[in-house]
Amino acid sequence: MKSQKVLFVCLGNICRSPTAHGVFEQLIARRALGLRIVVDSAGTANWHSGKAPDSRSIQAAHKRGYALNHLRARQVIVQDFDEFDVILAMDNSNLEDLRELCPSHFTGHLGLFLDFAKDRETEVPDPYHGGEEGFERVLDLVEDASEGLLAFLMDKKS
Ligand code: 4NP
C-alpha cells in the first residue's frame, strides 16, 4: 500500500510546524499507522535551518508527552510538491508563500492545517515573540486539527 505523505509548514520550522510534526507523528504511532502515513515539516524561511525546535516548544510538548527534540529545521523546497500529497500551512502568510512556490502540475492538497480543526480559529498564531501561553495554544490547536486530519486521511484511503 502506497503511503500518504504529509508536510506541515510554518515560517521558521522551529515552533508551530515541528509541534504539528511531533504531535501527528505520535498520533499515528499510537494507532499503528506509521507505515501508511509519512510526516515531515519545513519552514518558508531558512533562518533556522539545521536547528532543533525552539526550547519552549520542546518543553511545552514534552509536558503533554510529545517528543520534538529529534526534529531539525529545514526550508521548504519546490521538490516538496512532488514528494508530498498533503501540504498544510499554519497561517495565511505561509499559505500564500506556498502557493507562489507551488508548481502548476501539483495535484495534492494544499491548504490550512486548521481547516481540519473543530476550533473556529483559521490560523495557528505564531508564538515566537510571546509568552508560554502561546505555546500551549499552539498545542491545543494542533491536537484538535491532528484528529481531524487523521480522519480525513483514513477516509481518503477507504
Ligand atoms: P514558527 O515561529 O514559524 O512557528 O517556527 C517562528 C520562529 C522564528 C521566527 C518567527 C516565527 N523568527 O522570526 O525567527
Side-chain angles (χ1 to χ4, degrees), residues 10-18 47-48 126-129:
C10 62
L11 177 60
N13 192 209
I14 56 167
C15 298
R16 293 164 294 171
S17 61
W47 309 319
H48 301 281
D126 180 355
Y128 188 67
H129 296 287

Side-chain angles (χ1 to χ4, degrees), residues 20-152:
H21 186 159
V23 168
F24 196 63
E25 202 164 60
Q26 179 161 318
L27 190 63
I28 290 164
R30 277 212 201 111
R31 305 211 186 152
L33 294 168
L35 292 179
R36 295 211 298 125
I37 302 175
V38 173
V39 186
D40 198 7
S41 62
T44 56
N46 69 355
W47 309 319
H48 301 281
S49 288
K51 286 195 205 154
D54 189 298
S55 58
R56 297 165 296 175
S57 291
I58 293 179
Q59 198 56 34
H62 179 73
K63 279 196 285 175
R64 295 195 195 189
Y66 304 109
L68 306 186
N69 47 335
H70 61 295
L71 304 176
R72 292 295 176 269
R74 71 169 179 90
Q75 188 173 27
V76 69
I77 51 173
V78 70
Q79 288 82 2
D80 285 322
F81 289 92
D82 294 324
E83 180 78 17
F84 292 91
D85 309 293
V86 177
I87 300 182
L88 297 171
M90 296 296 136
D91 64 31
N92 285 313
S93 162
N94 308 148
L95 185 56
E96 257 176 52
D97 290 341
L98 286 168
R99 282 193 176 130
E100 269 179 36
L101 192 66
C102 183
S104 54
H105 64 259
F106 178 66
T107 54
H109 176 103
L110 173 62
L112 288 171
F113 183 33
L114 292 194
D115 284 346
F116 296 101
K118 288 200 200 85
D119 196 293
R120 291 176 60 187
E121 204 74 65
T122 57
E123 302 183 291
V124 183
D126 180 355
Y128 188 67
H129 296 287
E132 206 178 300
E133 68 288 350
F135 291 84
E136 296 298 330
R137 182 74 179 135
V138 168
L139 276 159
D140 291 341
L141 292 167
V142 163
E143 285 180 332
D144 179 356
S146 292
E147 290 289 344
L149 174 61
L150 184 59
F152 168 78

